[in-house]
């Protein structure tokens, strides 16, 4: 079954199917540091109802190793990394856990990784995490961006993982920040993450989650547009294989005047039984006059038995906005596109690859990190070699 | 010298009420260097003929044949037909998000020729072809047909005709949506390709204006899925003056 909801026009290739029950309003979502104050991990709670609970048990109950998450750092420009105790005042400025895995990770982590970017010079921090192993871990990262700083932070995630983490992204006034979480995990990897982003006045954040490999990957970014004229672009790109579950619960909280958000998540489900979930909540609060907001999720189903759930949700508490739109579409190949390409001599196989790449390129082109683009291009070449459905 | 021979072609489309016959016995022979104009009322089956030659999966041939230089076109896949030298400029070119025009053109050229074009001359050829069609070079970076105006889409079709160098081209209402200057530019483009390669053309149109630029050797009047009358260029002028009433009345009877 496929589905489409849209507040705007979208291509005819996508079509409607069964509607989903409404989600609990985002305003009322619980947040707490104690798991007792949060909804239980159950297929009946809004936070977990789409997740494969049996595969993430090690991160939602029991104990995790809270020592430093092994990583290599490649730093250029005015940035530095350090570890500090979880009691440090830099921690907890951007948000609070909204679900049990996040609260447990917060509790289990001994020291947080602090990445500091100053305004002296543009900076880039490339964090390679390729030696985590399969034992359950918890981690906490704070990306602390000074006012007027320009920085790019990339998490380059590979190998095995059983990781639950919180990432706080504190974007100072007028700063320009790019954060990429790139997952090329092994098949068995499990990765749960909450990214709490707080965006100050006139600052802009581009946040991208790119998942090309892994078992269960659930990365949930929240962008809190807390001050005047902040902007957030939240991007997602994923290819889901047989057996993979890729989930993205995206929340944009317009909480100040003249804030701008763009959410664009696109995925190709290329393995039999692949599963993706996208929940896009946008809250435009009473203070958020002049908000300009648009969110979209599009999925291309390339294999039998693959399933994409896509749930946009818009709550508007003020009438005085510039715009708020959403689109969600899930479908198979557009026959007319394939016909057009083939009528120019291009084989069916190559036509399919062109269409899928084009579909995903639209998001990749917006990730302003050439090295990430190059890695993803190469990975897609390989991944799409056997696309056929 | 190439010849496209269409013989007693019957074509249906699938509808809610079962198959519906659109083409009801079409015969036509097009040789290299010839231009055949096809005119006829809306819904008479002109695009159906064009799409059936190109192999669109929506159309089912129930009877008849299409032969191209001894090859059974109906047995070939869509891309095989294109590689054998057939080209369709579509009435409604399709948008393909995220696929850059330059990448698309190179991929198509490589597929048609069976090898990648030499990079230097290719870039030059593309540039020249686009400039002759009055398309800004920036179109190379844009997604195929996405956000193109109606006229820009049509000019892009002729850029492809020019670069892919087919033997036989079906132009389905390429003139619709073109401003007067673009019409001239596009016509000159088609004539240039004809001169260079001896292209055979099946030109579907509603207007005689384009026929002043691209001179037809034959005019076929299409009514109700059949050719109702055939003649020379003068027939087109007569159609413009008199309309199709004469044919539709007999067809309905
Ligand atoms: N799925 C369908 N169900 C019913 N009728 C169909 C279907 N598809 C095509 N047709 C009909 O086939 C007929 C021929 O269509 P075609 O597009 O070939 O006409 P045309 O001569 O190109 O018209 P125009 O001049 O408007 O471009 C039309 O009457 C159209 O409505
Ligand atoms: Mg037509």
């Amino acid at each position: 079954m496929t589905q489409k909801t849209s507040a705007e026009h979208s291509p005819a290739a996508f079509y409607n199917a069964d509607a989903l029950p409404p989600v609990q309003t985002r305003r009322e979502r619980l947040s707490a540091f104690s798991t007792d104050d949060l909804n239980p991990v159950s297929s009946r709670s809004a936070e977990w109802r789409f997740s494969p609970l049996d595969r993430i048990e090690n991160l939602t109950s029991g104990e995790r190793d809270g020592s430093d998450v092994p990583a290599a750092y490649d730093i250029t420009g005015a940035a530095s990394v350090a570890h500090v105790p979880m009691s440090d005042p830099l921690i907890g400025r951007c948000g609070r856990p909204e679900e049990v895995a996040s609260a447990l990770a917060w509790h289990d982590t001994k020291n947080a990784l602090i990445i500091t970017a100053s305004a002296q010079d543009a900076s880039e921090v490339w964090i390679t995490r390729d030696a985590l192993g399969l034992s359950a871990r918890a981690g906490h990262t704070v990306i602390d961006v000074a006012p007027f700083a320009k920085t790019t932070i990339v998490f380059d995630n590979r190998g095995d993982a059983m990781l639950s983490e919180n990432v706080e992204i504190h974007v100072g006034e007028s700063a320009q920040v790019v954060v990429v979480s790139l997952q090329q995990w092994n098949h068995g990897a499990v990765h749960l993450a909450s990214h709490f982003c707080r965006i100050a006045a006139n600052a802009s954040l581009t946040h991208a989650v790119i998942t090309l490999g892994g078992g269960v990957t659930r990365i949930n970014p929240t962008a809190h547009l807390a001050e005047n004229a902040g902007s957030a672009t939240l991007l997602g790109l994923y290819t889901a294989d047989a057996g993979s579950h890729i989930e993205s619960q995206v929340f944009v909280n317009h909480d100040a005047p003249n804030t701008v958000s763009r959410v664009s998540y696109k995925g190709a489900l290329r393995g039999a039984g692949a599963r993706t979930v996208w929940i896009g909540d946008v809250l435009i609060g009473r203070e958020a006059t002049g908000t300009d907001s648009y969110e979209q999720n599009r999925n291309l189903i390339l294999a039998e038995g693959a399933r994409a759930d896509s749930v946009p949700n818009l709550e508007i508490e003020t009438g005085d906005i510039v715009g708020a739109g959403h689109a969600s579409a899930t479908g198979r190949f557009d026959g007319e596109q394939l016909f057009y390409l083939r009528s120019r001599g291009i084989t069916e196989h190559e036509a399919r690859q062109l269409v899928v790449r084009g579909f995903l390129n639209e998001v990749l082109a917006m990730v302003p990190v050439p090295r990430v683009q190059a890695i993803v291009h190469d990975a897609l070449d390989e991944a799409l070699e056997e696309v056929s459905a | 010298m190439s010849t496209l021979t269409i013989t007693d072609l019957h074509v249906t489309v699938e509808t809610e009420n079962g198959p519906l016959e659109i083409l009801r016995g079409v015969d036509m022979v097009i040789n290299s260097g010839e231009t055949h104009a096809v005119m006829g009322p809306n819904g008479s089956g002109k695009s159906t003929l064009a799409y059936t030659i190109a192999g669109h999966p929506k159309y089912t041939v129930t009877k008849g044949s299409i032969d191209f230089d001894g090859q059974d076109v109906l047995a070939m896949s869509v891309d095989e037909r294109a590689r054998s030298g057939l080209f369709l400029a579509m009435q409604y070119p399709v948008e393909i998000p995220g696929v850059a025009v330059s990448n698309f053109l190179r991929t198509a050229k490589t597929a048609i020729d069976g090898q990648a074009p030499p990079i230097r001359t290719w870039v030059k050829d593309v540039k020249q072809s686009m400039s002759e069609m009055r398309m800004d070079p920036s179109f190379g970076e844009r997604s195929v047909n996405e956000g193109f105006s109606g006229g820009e889409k049509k000019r892009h079709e002729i850029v492809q005709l020019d670069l892919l160098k087919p033997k036989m081209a079906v132009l389905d209402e390429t003139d619709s949506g073109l401003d007067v200057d673009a019409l001239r530019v596009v016509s000159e483009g088609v004539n240039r390709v004809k001169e260079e390669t001896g292209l055979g053309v099946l030109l579907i149109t509603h207007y005689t204006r384009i026929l002043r630029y691209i001179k037809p050797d034959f005019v076929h009047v299409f009514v109700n899925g059949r050719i109702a009358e055939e003649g020379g260029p003068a027939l087109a002028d007569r159609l413009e003056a008199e309309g199709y009433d004469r044919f539709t009345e007999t067809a309905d009877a």
Side-chain angles (χ1 to χ4, degrees):
Chain A
M1 286 297 230
T2 48
Q3 61 181 42
K4 176 183 111 177
T5 60
S6 179
E8 295 205 350
H9 180 76
S10 59
F14 298 100
Y15 34 98
N16 277 305
D18 43 344
L20 290 146
V23 292
Q24 170 194 34
T25 81
R26 197 62 198 228
R27 198 39 115 207
E28 293 158 12
R29 181 77 56 95
L30 298 170
S31 75
F33 291 103
S34 163
T35 55
D36 295 340
D37 299 329
L38 293 163
N39 286 328
V41 179
S42 136
S43 56
R44 280 183 303 279
S45 50
E47 297 87 336
W48 297 106
R49 66 199 177 101
F50 292 105
S51 305
L53 300 181
D54 53 328
R55 294 167 73 185
I56 60 174
E57 262 174 1
N58 290 339
L59 301 176
T60 55
S61 61
E63 305 250 316
R64 280 139 303 276
D65 175 359
S67 63
D68 297 351
V69 176
Y73 305 96
D74 183 1
I75 303 170
T76 53
S80 60
V81 299
H83 283 88
V84 303
M86 287 295 286
S87 55
D88 195 281
L90 286 176
I91 289 158
R93 294 175 301 166
C94 298
R96 314 198 313 164
E98 292 195 333
E99 35 86 345
V100 165
S102 172
L104 287 174
W106 202 298
H107 175 264
D108 292 341
T109 303
K110 296 199 176 68
N111 294 305
L113 169 69
I114 309 283
I115 302 169
T116 309
S118 84
Q120 274 160 339
D121 193 6
S123 58
E124 181 173 312
V125 181
W126 191 282
I127 304 149
T128 304
R129 305 196 290 190
D130 58 2
L132 271 57
L134 277 172
S135 65
R137 292 179 174 282
H140 195 107
T141 302
V142 175
I143 298 171
D144 188 30
V145 185
F148 296 94
K150 273 188 191 176
T151 191
T152 296
I153 314 288
V154 179
F155 293 93
D156 183 356
N157 296 320
R158 299 158 189 260
D160 292 327
M162 178 62 68
L163 172 67
S164 182
E165 64 173 341
N166 292 297
V167 177
E168 295 187 66
I169 303 170
H170 192 267
V171 181
E173 185 190 337
S174 298
Q176 291 174 29
V177 182
V178 178
V179 176
V180 179
S181 188
L182 170 61
Q183 286 65 242
Q184 294 178 284
W185 297 121
N186 289 346
H187 284 304
V190 178
H191 181 197
L192 308 186
S194 295
H195 288 206
F196 305 95
C197 315
R198 185 190 187 281
I199 297 126
N202 302 309
S204 75
L205 168 69
T206 299
H207 181 277
V209 179
I210 302 172
T211 302
L212 307 174
V216 180
T217 313
R218 191 181 119 123
I219 299 176
N220 301 340
T222 294
H224 182 200
L225 292 155
E227 297 178 20
N228 184 57
S231 84
T233 303
L234 305 183
L235 305 172
L237 186 164
Y238 44 90
T239 59
D241 297 325
S244 64
H245 175 103
I246 299 173
E247 184 162 345
S248 322
Q249 298 191 17
V250 182
F251 177 34
V252 179
N253 184 359
H254 286 271
D255 200 17
N258 308 313
T259 50
V260 178
S261 70
R262 292 289 179 272
V263 177
S264 187
Y265 271 64
K266 288 183 120 182
L269 287 75
R270 60 187 197 91
R275 184 74 201 278
T276 68
V277 177
W278 178 85
I279 301 174
D281 291 340
V282 173
L283 172 62
I284 301 175
R286 249 177 295 280
E287 309 302 318
T289 54
T291 287
D292 180 0
S293 159
Y294 187 79
E295 62 167 349
Q296 67 159 340
N297 172 230
R298 294 181 194 280
N299 298 294
L300 199 45
I301 308 262
L302 308 176
E304 291 309 316
R307 175 171 167 177
D309 287 291
S310 183
V311 190
N313 178 42
L314 191 55
E315 290 171 56
I316 307 181
E317 296 176 347
T318 174
D320 180 15
I321 61 169
V322 173
H326 64 82
S328 159
T330 296
R332 293 180 180 275
F333 273 116
D334 179 340
E336 296 303 319
Q337 292 179 352
L338 292 181
F339 172 73
Y340 187 80
L341 293 169
R342 295 183 67 197
S343 78
R344 272 47 176 155
I346 298 166
T347 61
E348 180 166 13
H349 177 73
E350 201 172 352
R352 286 176 191 279
Q353 291 194 11
L354 268 179
V355 170
V356 180
R357 290 203 67 133
F359 177 79
L360 297 174
N361 271 345
E362 287 199 307
V363 169
L364 187 59
M366 290 191 280
V367 179
V369 189
R371 191 169 152 198
V372 169
Q373 290 188 340
I375 290 173
V376 176
H377 269 296
D378 288 350
L380 288 179
D381 275 344
E382 238 171 83
L384 300 180
E385 193 43 50
E386 68 273 20
V387 161
S388 60
Chain B
M1 172 72 182
S2 287
T3 305
L4 183 70
T5 309
I6 299 164
T7 310
D8 193 27
L9 191 68
H10 290 249
V11 173
T12 61
V13 294
E14 208 46 57
T15 73
E16 281 165 19
N17 309 318
L20 174 71
E21 187 164 66
I22 309 286
L23 297 189
R24 307 189 304 150
V26 175
D27 296 284
M28 205 179 279
V29 179
I30 306 169
N31 292 305
S32 289
E34 293 177 358
T35 297
H36 293 244
V38 169
M39 304 183 80
N42 294 134
S44 56
K46 305 180 298 296
S47 293
T48 302
L49 175 64
Y51 276 128
T52 303
I53 295 170
H56 194 291
K58 175 179 158 183
Y59 302 95
T60 309
V61 176
T62 51
K63 199 178 165 201
S65 66
I66 304 178
D67 177 286
F68 186 41
D69 293 341
Q71 304 170 87
D72 178 4
V73 171
L74 298 178
M76 293 154 75
S77 70
V78 175
D79 42 296
E80 281 170 348
R81 296 179 196 205
R83 291 197 297 275
S84 79
L86 295 171
F87 181 86
L88 168 61
M90 294 186 202
Q91 185 174 0
Y92 302 108
V94 181
E95 302 191 356
I96 308 179
V99 177
V101 166
S102 57
N103 182 24
F104 161 66
L105 293 175
R106 191 169 17 84
T107 307
K109 183 66 175 171
T110 304
I112 297 275
D113 288 3
Q115 62 182 54
I119 192 96
R120 276 266 180 71
T121 50
W122 175 248
V123 171
K124 207 176 94 244
D125 290 350
V126 171
K127 232 176 128 182
Q128 186 180 340
S129 185
M130 297 209 351
S131 95
E132 273 163 4
M133 236 22 80
R134 307 279 156 83
M135 286 182 81
D136 191 87
S138 64
F139 276 92
E141 313 305 310
R142 289 176 59 176
S143 293
V144 172
N145 294 325
E146 194 181 43
F148 288 22
S149 74
E152 287 163 353
K153 284 181 182 166
K154 298 303 181 68
R155 282 183 273 161
H156 181 220
E157 295 291 281
I158 302 307
V159 166
Q160 295 169 53
L161 174 74
D162 184 28
L163 291 170
L164 299 180
K165 308 247 179 288
K167 296 178 186 143
M168 253 337 133
V170 180
L171 310 182
D172 191 357
E173 294 200 28
T174 300
D175 55 336
S176 299
L178 292 180
D179 64 47
V180 278
D181 294 331
L183 182 67
R184 190 174 40 75
V185 162
V186 160
S187 302
E188 283 167 8
V190 173
N191 287 333
R192 197 168 47 240
V193 177
K194 280 187 64 176
E195 244 161 66
E196 280 171 22
T197 67
L199 180 75
V201 176
L202 195 160
L203 191 155
I204 297 169
T205 184
H206 287 294
Y207 309 104
T208 50
R209 188 192 281 272
I210 191 172
L211 302 180
R212 273 181 231 137
Y213 294 109
I214 306 175
K215 295 266 185 307
D217 302 293
F218 305 93
V219 175
H220 309 263
V221 184
F222 228 73
V223 178
N224 217 346
R226 279 201 192 101
I227 293 171
E229 186 162 330
E230 293 174 304
L235 179 55
D237 295 320
R238 209 177 140 199
L239 290 173
E240 185 152 81
E242 298 173 8
Y244 299 110
D245 281 358
R246 182 158 68 89
F247 305 106
T248 44
E249 274 154 24
T250 50
D252 289 345

